[in-house]
Amino acid sequence: MPLSILFNVMKILGIETSCDETAAAIVEDGFKLISNVVATSMDEHAKYGGIVPEIAARSHIESIIPVIDQCMHESQLDWADLDGIAVTYGAGLGGSLLVGVETAKALAISKNLPLYGINHVEGHVYANFITESLVGNITPSDEQPKFPMLALIVSGGHSQIVIFKNHFDYILLGQTGDDAVGEAFDKVAKLLGLPYPGGPNIEIAAKDGDTEKYKLPKARLEGKYDFSFSGLKTAVLRLAQSEVGKSFDFPSFELSALLNDSQKTDIAASFLKTSIETLVDKMEVAEKEFSPKTIVIAGGVAANQELRKQLKNRLHAKLQYPDIKLCTDNGAMIATLGCFKAMLNSTPVDPYKLQIDPNLSM
Ligand code: KG4
Ligand code: ZN
């Protein structure tokens, strides 16, 4: 039974600007997506092979009001119909977060609405709670996850395994000590001359490659749920250098011109296999230890088909992941978590005091 049946109807506007997406959405009662608008500055970053924080911040400034306006317009709601505003205040890029947080503060004050500060990484998980969508081309989950819920949060900034006993009651089991898995995808893609963002492009290139051609290492770490992807990334660099007969001081940005297509696709396939296996190995251990009712994946890398396939094959609990459009950054996940905060009576933040926290952890 959705929590909302026990509470008054809650409609929350979610605002997300932690990286390169300027996004706003309205969610009702933590399950019904009413409107969802995402503008991205991805094309402007693509030519630099990664996110340029100054470009992202400037683009948020230009887009935030039109995005919120369009979100309100598509919802056919008035400000008076809303019950609160939820905004990502961390983790993320400082300049980007500031635009969303300051806009949300101004709106909360001027429209007299409660304001909820949202942890971006926790927000990603809540995309899985959307079970109804009035927005075309988004397929919602068939049911809400059940607790205990084991979550794998994998994005350009995060690689975390978290066990949720209930809403807001969770333990961070492990995380990356260096690169996030999405970051490793982006860097390996750059080395292979594939466009940004790397994840989807590695996935496409890997389809034509041989996963067994090269053996790449999996990091062994003390914390059984911790990750490290910088060693794997360096192993790919060394492999590429030796494949083209160059020494280890040969610059990475010159490699893609020397690698042939089959070397590129084989490296992409081997990297994809090793990185995804690393994630699934740890999830298998966590499932045995915590016996979750539902396993969810969240974050941009949750769009990866190989990850979904391996998790399905090797784990036993019900596996859920959001529609691809809700895997990457969006306002819907922030609004959904905001709904649960409102429905479960979390104290709103003081809109005069909310500060960004770029290094916020779970
Ligand atoms: O969640 P997200 O949109 O932004 C962050 O919070 O980081 O995730 C973006 C990351 C990028 O690193 C991108 O390469 C990765 O998600 N990604 C993928 C795929 N689609 C996006 N990684 C692997 N496979 C994909 N299909
Ligand atoms: Zn994200």
Side-chain angles (χ1 to χ4, degrees), residues 187-247:
K187 287 177 178 167
V188 168
K190 195 170 181 180
L191 184 149
L192 297 177
L194 300 171
Y196 181 84
N201 291 305
I202 292 263
E203 206 170 11
I204 293 164
K207 283 203 172 77
D208 298 323
D210 175 1
T211 52
E212 304 307 318
K213 178 75 190 285
Y214 305 113
K215 270 260 153 303
L216 290 167
K218 288 184 195 169
R220 286 180 203 285
L221 299 163
E222 247 175 58
K224 67 177 161 175
Y225 298 117
D226 285 335
F227 299 109
S228 162
F229 289 101
S230 81
L232 174 60
K233 183 192 66 188
T234 307
V236 169
L237 171 64
R238 300 287 176 251
L239 169 65
Q241 287 164 328
S242 72
E243 279 296 294
V244 297
K246 297 288 181 188
S247 60

Side-chain angles (χ1 to χ4, degrees), residues 154-217:
V154 273
S155 73
H158 302 278
S159 310
Q160 277 145 331
I161 299 183
V162 183
I163 182 80
F164 284 75
K165 294 185 214 153
N166 208 330
H167 296 290
F168 323 135
D169 180 8
Y170 56 77
I171 301 166
L172 173 62
L173 300 178
Q175 60 187 330
T176 183
D178 42 58
D179 290 357
V181 62
E183 192 179 353
F185 270 88
D186 295 335
K187 287 177 178 167
V188 168
K190 195 170 181 180
L191 184 149
L192 297 177
L194 300 171
Y196 181 84
N201 291 305
I202 292 263
E203 206 170 11
I204 293 164
K207 283 203 172 77
D208 298 323
D210 175 1
T211 52
E212 304 307 318
K213 178 75 190 285
Y214 305 113
K215 270 260 153 303
L216 290 167

Side-chain angles (χ1 to χ4, degrees), residues 38 51 100 126 139 148 178 186 210 224 260 277 283 331:
V38 182
I51 302 290
Y126 277 76
T139 309
D178 42 58
D186 295 335
D210 175 1
K224 67 177 161 175
N260 64 36
E277 267 180 21
M283 288 297 282

Side-chain angles (χ1 to χ4, degrees), residues 43-61:
D43 289 352
E44 291 172 68
H45 303 283
K47 51 186 177 249
Y48 302 98
I51 302 290
V52 183
E54 290 78 5
I55 293 177
R58 180 172 293 273
S59 165
H60 287 307
I61 291 169

